[in-house]
Amino acid sequence: MTEVTGKTDPIQSVALSDDGGSVVILDQTQLPNREEYLTLTTAKEMYDAIYYLKVRGAPAIGICAGYCVYCLARQSGSEDYDAFLAAFRRAKDYLNSARPTAVNLSWALNRMEGVVLAQRERPVPAILAALEAECRLIHEEDIAMCAAISRHGLTLLKDGDGVLTHCNAGPLATSRYGTALGPLFLGWEQGLRFRVFADETRPLLQGARLTSYELRRAGIDVTLICDNMASIVMKNGWIQACLVGCDRVAANGDTANKIGTSGVAILAKHYGIPFYVLGPTSTIDLRCPTGDNIEIELRPPEEIREKFYREPMAPSDVKCYNPAFDVTDHRLIAGIVTEGGICRPPYEKSLAALF
Ligand code: MRU
């Protein structure tokens, strides 16, 4: 049973080790049963941690990638700028190939590369110092962005509201309050009481394992439902708003998030419930015109056929289609909540105005 602390003290999912040479993550695949920390030192350990969702959630992936590429740059051992840059790019490209949909991964790695390029006239130790400062800054900025998103998001809710969320966009997936869960934690601290319904989020159960864990830990009222129960709780009149996170927001407002999110948005439209996307500007990709340009990650069939079951729950050779994300049409989104405020349609204008 999850310990209810009644506190919203942050769970820290990613950090640089004390000696600055490794990345320490809370292994999210072990939750809610075990709080186990992993130390990532090699490129393969870092790639695997991202690929296997030991660290997950778009902002947390970006923060982790920043720390990882810094640690790998330290290991390159080269004093020559060109050799250092070449090794940096190899590490960057390898990490970047771990997952395709969340733009924060390439966003953070490109930001780190920008530092290496801007400091080209300086000695390698000075470049490393600048890289360390940059990855720490990425993390600090995310903390500030989540706090601002939480404040803006809270203006959309009132005491007693029922809120449905999908996947996990809380502290584990970000830093501090999280994005979609941020207004709920902030409201709780201010004495507001919400009734949260968390979709379990098949196939990897981020809602069951992580969202319900985080909310229970804080003492927030959460009810876990299977994904196919969202319609009935909406029909019952229990949901006044849907809050979800995002992995990439296209310039027109189309939004990629965990598979099943678009179905929630379609249901919300049917029942006249506002559907909000919450995410930092680091998740907005203005170079991506529409959701059709977002690459959707496909994952192994085992995640559907057998993972989490005591024995396989499907014929071992049945074909599976396992997209990890889907795209919600911008016309279904009532607002996109960022640290810069709440963007409303038309999103081409309101999103561009943020930058
Ligand atoms: O596959 P995951 O668990 O990384 O997917 C995560 C999501 O879809 C989240 O909703 C999204 O990254 C936003 S996290 C603030």
Side-chain angles (χ1 to χ4, degrees), residues 28 50 53 55-61 99 102 104 146 166-170 172-174 178-180 201 204 206 209-210 244-248 256-259 261 278-280 283 297 299 324-325:
Q28 298 192 37
I50 297 172
L53 277 61
V55 55
R56 51 145 299 283
I61 292 172
R99 298 192 75 190
N104 303 62
C146 286
H166 189 80
C167 194
N168 172 262
L172 287 164
T174 61
T179 55
T201 317
L204 296 181
Q206 288 91 336
R209 294 187 302 105
L210 308 176
V244 300
C246 47
D247 284 84
R248 193 180 297 242
N257 191 50
K258 180 51 55 196
I259 189 72
T261 303
L278 297 89
T283 311
E297 176 183 14
R299 295 193 58 89
F325 300 93

Side-chain angles (χ1 to χ4, degrees), residues 35-289:
E35 281 191 15
E36 253 175 45
Y37 288 85
L38 299 175
T39 300
L40 313 174
T41 307
T42 68
K44 174 88 167 74
E45 286 167 350
M46 294 167 180
Y47 176 98
D48 283 353
I50 297 172
Y51 179 76
Y52 289 108
L53 277 61
K54 295 171 193 286
V55 55
R56 51 145 299 283
I61 292 172
I63 295 163
C64 183
Y67 285 140
C68 288
V69 83
Y70 162 66
C71 293
L72 296 176
R74 269 173 54 132
Q75 290 169 23
S76 81
S78 176
E79 290 296 320
D80 169 68
Y81 179 81
D82 289 335
F84 178 80
L85 178 63
F88 181 92
R89 285 189 163 147
R90 272 195 304 278
K92 176 193 167 209
D93 292 346
Y94 179 55
L95 293 172
N96 198 33
S97 65
R99 298 192 75 190
T101 305
V103 69
N104 303 62
L105 179 57
S106 56
W107 170 86
L109 290 169
N110 286 336
R111 216 172 123 163
M112 295 293 282
E113 184 179 50
V115 170
V116 178
L117 296 174
Q119 308 271 329
R120 61 168 58 242
E121 304 303 336
R122 306 189 66 203
V124 166
I127 300 176
L128 284 172
L131 280 173
E132 178 177 358
E134 190 71 6
C135 57
R136 289 191 188 279
L137 185 63
I138 288 172
H139 198 165
E140 278 160 27
E141 285 175 3
D142 191 69
I143 294 170
M145 289 193 284
C146 286
I149 289 166
S150 306
R151 284 196 297 275
H152 293 304
L154 190 55
T155 65
L156 300 168
L157 303 176
K158 57 183 190 326
D159 195 23
D161 272 355
V163 173
L164 186 136
T165 190
H166 189 80
C167 194
N168 172 262
L172 287 164
T174 61
S175 25
R176 299 284 162 89
Y177 289 118
T179 55
L181 300 189
L184 306 175
F185 285 110
L186 186 62
W188 171 262
E189 286 179 351
Q190 296 179 4
L192 303 180
R193 296 295 171 256
F194 304 115
R195 288 170 300 114
V196 185
F197 289 82
D199 280 352
E200 67 174 353
T201 317
R202 280 281 291 156
L204 296 181
L205 304 179
Q206 288 91 336
R209 294 187 302 105
L210 308 176
T211 297
S212 60
Y213 166 79
E214 287 179 329
L215 294 173
R216 284 277 303 132
R217 182 176 176 273
I220 296 174
D221 180 352
V222 55
T223 303
L224 180 64
I225 58 172
C226 298
D227 297 342
N228 53 6
M229 298 168 190
S231 177
I232 194 168
V233 296
M234 290 185 189
K235 185 163 190 239
N236 288 350
W238 296 347
I239 307 297
Q240 280 65 54
C242 298
L243 304 185
V244 300
C246 47
D247 284 84
R248 193 180 297 242
V249 179
N252 72 341
D254 287 351
T255 295
N257 191 50
K258 180 51 55 196
I259 189 72
T261 303
S262 67
V264 174
I266 291 165
L267 288 173
K269 180 90 173 175
H270 178 76
Y271 290 108
I273 298 165
F275 178 93
Y276 298 109
V277 169
L278 297 89
T281 44
S282 53
T283 311
I284 297 170
D285 185 1
L286 293 184
R287 290 163 313 159
C288 184

